[in-house]
Amino acid sequence: SVCRATQAQPQRGRRDRSRGSRGSGSGAMAEKIRVPRNFKLLDELEKGEKGQNTDGVTVGLSVHDDITLTHWNGTIFGPQGTTFDNRIYAISLSCDEQYPHKPPKLRFQSKINLPYIDQSSGEANQARCPGLCDWKESDTLDTVLTKIRRDLTTPHNRKLPQPSEGATYQ
């Protein structure tokens, strides 16, 4: 799996300040600026409302006046030439207070047959799902859905038998 390979790699770009190294400026890393959760989510909401998301996916708040910006709906349009073609997949995303430091929780509402989706609940296995298992703070909800959509076209997944169209998880 792509994600298992990325988890094994050490994180780069972080310096251990406890070693007492003082950079002369040439090797010192610039401090990383953290954008507050709500600013990031408001930016994502604005892009979603303006239709600036990647082709084939959409995101938006599940309740328009959700001032906590926690509960989101997503949509993936099935890629052509796959068993997902001409299908629209509805997804629930939840961004808790740890977002964007930790990925959102993701649950398919529409039934889908994928190796990293629990077939009884529709919940994504965070350790295996593209976009979640390789999450970076700079990623967005759009990034997650785009990575999943791209994964639908891989040789392993593109011909997987799918549940009947319109079937949903309870």
Side-chain angles (χ1 to χ4, degrees):
S1 156
V2 171
C3 291
R4 289 190 181 132
T6 59
Q7 289 175 343
Q9 296 175 355
Q11 290 185 337
R12 296 181 186 158
R14 293 190 180 186
R15 294 193 60 164
D16 185 355
R17 303 240 186 253
S18 65
R19 293 184 186 162
S21 64
R22 293 189 178 207
S24 61
S26 61
M29 298 291 295
E31 289 297 319
K32 188 175 180 182
I33 296 173
R34 289 196 166 185
V35 176
R37 173 189 179 275
N38 285 1
F39 287 3
K40 180 172 174 65
L41 287 169
L42 282 170
D43 186 53
E44 292 188 47
L45 178 60
E46 182 179 2
K47 287 179 180 170
E49 287 179 342
K50 290 183 177 179
Q52 296 174 341
N53 291 328
T54 309
D55 287 338
V57 303
T58 65
V59 294
L61 283 174
S62 59
V63 178
H64 186 67
D65 60 354
D66 177 7
I67 61 171
T68 65
L69 304 173
T70 301
H71 305 287
W72 295 71
N73 287 330
T75 305
I76 296 176
F77 298 94
Q80 291 183 339
T82 68
T83 55
F84 310 98
D85 194 359
N86 291 321
R87 292 185 181 212
I88 300 172
Y89 293 95
I91 299 154
S92 297
L93 299 120
S94 177
C95 300
D96 65 17
E97 62 281 344
Q98 296 297 312
Y99 184 88
H101 312 299
K102 297 205 176 182
K105 302 233 183 314
L106 185 145
R107 181 180 171 275
F108 272 81
Q109 295 170 338
S110 307
K111 284 202 173 190
I112 190 166
N113 179 23
L114 289 169
Y116 45 84
I117 301 300
D118 183 299
Q119 292 304 298
S120 62
S121 68
E123 290 181 24
N125 179 329
Q126 210 155 6
R128 297 178 60 206
C129 181
L132 300 180
C133 65
D134 56 350
W135 178 259
K136 297 183 299 285
E137 283 186 30
S138 59
D139 286 346
T140 63
L141 301 174
D142 180 72
T143 306
V144 172
L145 299 183
T146 300
K147 287 183 177 183
I148 293 171
R149 186 172 191 271
R150 190 176 312 127
D151 189 61
L152 301 180
T153 65
T154 61
H156 177 72
N157 292 331
R158 69 182 300 117
K159 299 294 180 191
L160 283 176
Q162 293 302 310
S164 61
E165 198 166 345
T168 59
Y169 295 102
Q170 297 304 317

